[in-house]
Amino acid sequence: METRNHLFFECNYSKTVWKEVLSLCSLQRSPRQWNFVLQWPVLKLTGKALISIVLWLAWGAFFYWIWRERNCRIFGNTRLSEKVILEKIKDAVLMSLSGTRIRSDEIVNNRICIAWGIE
């Protein structure tokens, strides 16, 4: 039975992708229920810190690409690997951040810039 919890947080495919996204931000969280996951960024990802901005962007891209992958599998009979989806999420984040001035001399920002390939 396909539910939003299953699609985004319970199936191994999306779990793997989301854990990799969090790993790029040096975070470890287990995806849980839909309502909990929706509350987490609202409560925790505030302010203008680079990690907050990157996670907001990655969060949106994650939902988009997982939903798109689901539709491609159902209606187009095509599949992309978790690695390819992660690269598409990274590309979306990088595109959104292009032209943004980032203080990469800060330790946390530097780590994020290296992991995400932000120049």
Side-chain angles (χ1 to χ4, degrees):
M1 180 83 164
E2 183 179 275
T3 65
R4 64 182 177 206
N5 277 341
H6 172 76
L7 179 61
F8 294 110
F9 309 115
E10 294 170 355
C11 83
N12 290 331
Y13 184 89
S14 59
K15 257 197 248 187
T16 298
V17 173
W18 186 241
K19 284 181 181 182
E20 286 297 318
V21 166
L22 291 177
S23 176
L24 290 171
C25 293
S26 299
L27 296 173
Q28 293 180 342
R29 295 186 56 80
S30 295
R32 298 190 185 163
Q33 296 287 326
W34 180 259
N35 292 336
F36 178 79
V37 173
L38 291 178
Q39 290 172 352
W40 177 69
V42 172
L43 297 173
K44 301 294 183 185
L45 301 179
T46 59
K48 296 181 181 180
L50 180 60
I51 192 166
S52 293
I53 294 167
V54 167
L55 276 168
W56 271 112
L57 294 170
W59 196 59
F62 167 78
F63 284 114
Y64 172 81
W65 283 106
I66 293 296
W67 184 254
R68 189 171 187 279
E69 177 64 14
R70 174 233 182 239
N71 287 341
C72 286
R73 287 180 182 202
I74 291 173
F75 302 113
N77 202 25
T78 62
R79 293 175 168 255
L80 296 175
S81 69
E82 293 96 332
K83 184 177 179 179
V84 171
I85 293 295
L86 181 63
E87 287 303 314
K88 291 188 177 292
I89 292 169
K90 286 176 74 173
D91 289 345
V93 170
L94 293 174
M95 191 179 341
S96 296
L97 289 175
S98 66
T100 302
R101 298 192 87 175
I102 297 169
R103 293 198 55 195
S104 59
D105 58 330
E106 295 177 5
I107 294 170
V108 174
N109 286 1
N110 187 37
R111 192 171 51 233
I112 292 169
C113 287
I114 291 169
W116 284 86
I118 301 167
E119 297 178 8

